[in-house]
């Protein structure tokens, strides 16, 4: 079974803080993704990575950056958190086709 | 880029009846169309997918149909049960691209 884990289920941060969300997969998948999920907006792609140290912008990259130093780990970074980044963040990985999701991190920025 | 529209946003059906969720896509190069189910508080999970070389695929009570000419695909759930209550997402992906574009989701409620 593919396992995708995320560092926190719930996180509360203050405006202006630097926030790190981490995702780890154990199936040697090449591709990893970060989405945010908001009611009525579905799953929107922030960034994805198809190899170590490679990254590509998704549909809503503004205010975010990512890091992939090891194949199994993909980090999402909010350089200066803002209240409009309060959301559910989902990580996923894939080899070919099916994406496997992590449990999500509900981030609240106050 | 790809744009995927999904309807309806909410759907309530009586237990035992059928449910249909529809999606349209814009990029004619898309050739892979998965459907994900997300139960309350859980992660999205793939329930069925279809590739562009087939028009229909079934797996027990769920089926997906694809009309490439019209650029739309649909999820059909027959004999609905309470455990079918969830949010369903359609998605589309172009050949050679690992990136999925998701629809906005349909909240399906099965009324006992």
């Amino acid at each position: 079974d593919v396992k995708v884990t995320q560092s926190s289920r719930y996180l509360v941060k203050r405006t202006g803080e630097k926030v790190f969300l981490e995702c780890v997969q154990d199936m040697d998948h090449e591709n990893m993704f970060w989405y945010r999920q908001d009611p009525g907006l579905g799953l929107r792609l922030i960034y994805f990575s198809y190899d170590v140290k490679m990254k590509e912008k998704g549909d809503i990259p503004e205010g975010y950056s990512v890091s992939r130093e090891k194949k199994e780990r993909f980090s999402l970074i909010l350089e200066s958190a803002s209240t409009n980044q309060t959301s559910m963040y989902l990580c996923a990985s894939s080899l070919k086709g099916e994406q496997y999701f992590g449990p999500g991190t509900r981030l609240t920025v106050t | 880029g790809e744009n995927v529209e999904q309807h309806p946003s909410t759907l309530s059906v009586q237990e035992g009846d059928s449910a249909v969720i529809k999606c349209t896509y814009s990029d004619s190069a898309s050739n892979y169309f998965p459907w994900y189910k997300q139960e309350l508080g859980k992660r999205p999970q793939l329930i069925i997918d279809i590739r562009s070389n087939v028009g229909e695929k079934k797996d027990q009570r769920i089926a997906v149909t694809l009309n490439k000419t019209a650029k739309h695909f649909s999820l059909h759930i027959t004999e609905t049960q309470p455990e079918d209550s969830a949010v369903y997402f359609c998605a589309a992906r172009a050949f050679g691209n690992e990136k999925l574009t998701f629809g906005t989701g349909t909240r399906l409620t099965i009324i006992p």
Side-chain angles (χ1 to χ4, degrees), chain B residues 11-20 61-62 76-85 88 108-112:
Chain B
L11 180 62
S12 296
V13 300
Q14 291 289 141
E15 182 178 352
D17 287 351
S18 295
V20 181
R61 294 186 298 107
I62 60 173
H76 305 253
I77 306 174
T78 58
E79 301 172 17
T80 53
Q81 300 171 3
E83 54 265 35
D84 295 329
S85 292
Y88 292 81
L108 175 62
T109 302
I110 307 303
I111 304 165

Side-chain angles (χ1 to χ4, degrees), chain A residues 9-106:
Chain A
R9 290 301 304 271
Y10 301 93
L11 209 52
V12 180
K13 295 292 182 180
R14 294 197 179 276
T15 301
E17 279 193 85
K18 190 168 186 176
V19 181
F20 292 87
L21 303 182
E22 294 208 321
C23 176
V24 178
Q25 50 95 3
D26 67 356
M27 283 301 290
D28 203 35
H29 283 175
E30 296 172 344
N31 307 297
M32 296 188 75
F33 309 82
W34 274 106
Y35 296 91
R36 65 176 282 175
Q37 182 176 14
D38 301 287
L41 297 178
L43 298 166
R44 293 182 294 166
L45 182 65
I46 304 171
Y47 268 97
F48 67 103
S49 169
Y50 50 89
D51 202 350
V52 175
K53 296 191 186 294
M54 305 302 285
K55 61 184 179 184
E56 285 200 24
K57 293 180 179 179
D59 300 317
I60 51 165
E62 297 78 18
Y64 304 94
S65 62
V66 291
S67 172
R68 194 164 180 204
E69 297 296 318
K70 294 185 178 181
K71 193 173 187 178
E72 67 270 20
R73 189 180 299 269
F74 191 34
S75 301
L76 180 69
I77 304 155
L78 287 67
E79 294 289 342
S80 177
S82 64
T83 55
N84 62 11
Q85 293 178 310
T86 290
S87 186
M88 171 67 81
Y89 290 88
L90 287 164
C91 172
S93 73
S94 74
L95 181 57
K96 290 181 182 179
E98 180 177 357
Q99 290 193 11
Y100 297 85
F101 285 86
T105 296
R106 184 163 295 282

Side-chain angles (χ1 to χ4, degrees), chain B residues 1-111:
Chain B
E2 175 67 278
N3 182 47
V4 177
E5 294 191 358
Q6 183 172 347
H7 299 282
S9 57
T10 61
L11 180 62
S12 296
V13 300
Q14 291 289 141
E15 182 178 352
D17 287 351
S18 295
V20 181
I21 302 170
K22 299 182 179 181
C23 289
T24 60
Y25 62 98
S26 62
D27 188 352
S28 55
S30 289
N31 67 344
Y32 173 67
F33 307 92
W35 286 87
Y36 284 79
K37 175 183 180 182
Q38 186 178 29
E39 297 178 25
L40 190 62
K42 296 191 176 180
R43 68 191 77 190
Q45 291 194 302
L46 179 72
I47 55 171
I48 195 167
D49 57 13
I50 191 168
R51 297 184 188 273
S52 58
N53 56 346
V54 298
E56 184 175 3
K57 184 177 178 181
K58 288 184 180 179
D59 183 2
Q60 299 182 357
R61 294 186 298 107
I62 60 173
V64 58
T65 58
L66 171 65
N67 183 326
K68 281 205 69 181
T69 303
K71 291 192 222 169
H72 67 71
F73 55 112
S74 300
L75 178 71
H76 305 253
I77 306 174
T78 58
E79 301 172 17
T80 53
Q81 300 171 3
E83 54 265 35
D84 295 329
S85 292
V87 178
Y88 292 81
F89 294 98
C90 63
R93 190 191 74 197
F95 177 75
N97 190 343
E98 287 296 319
K99 173 185 161 184
L100 286 175
T101 300
F102 285 87
T104 50
T106 296
R107 182 175 297 280
L108 175 62
T109 302
I110 307 303
I111 304 165

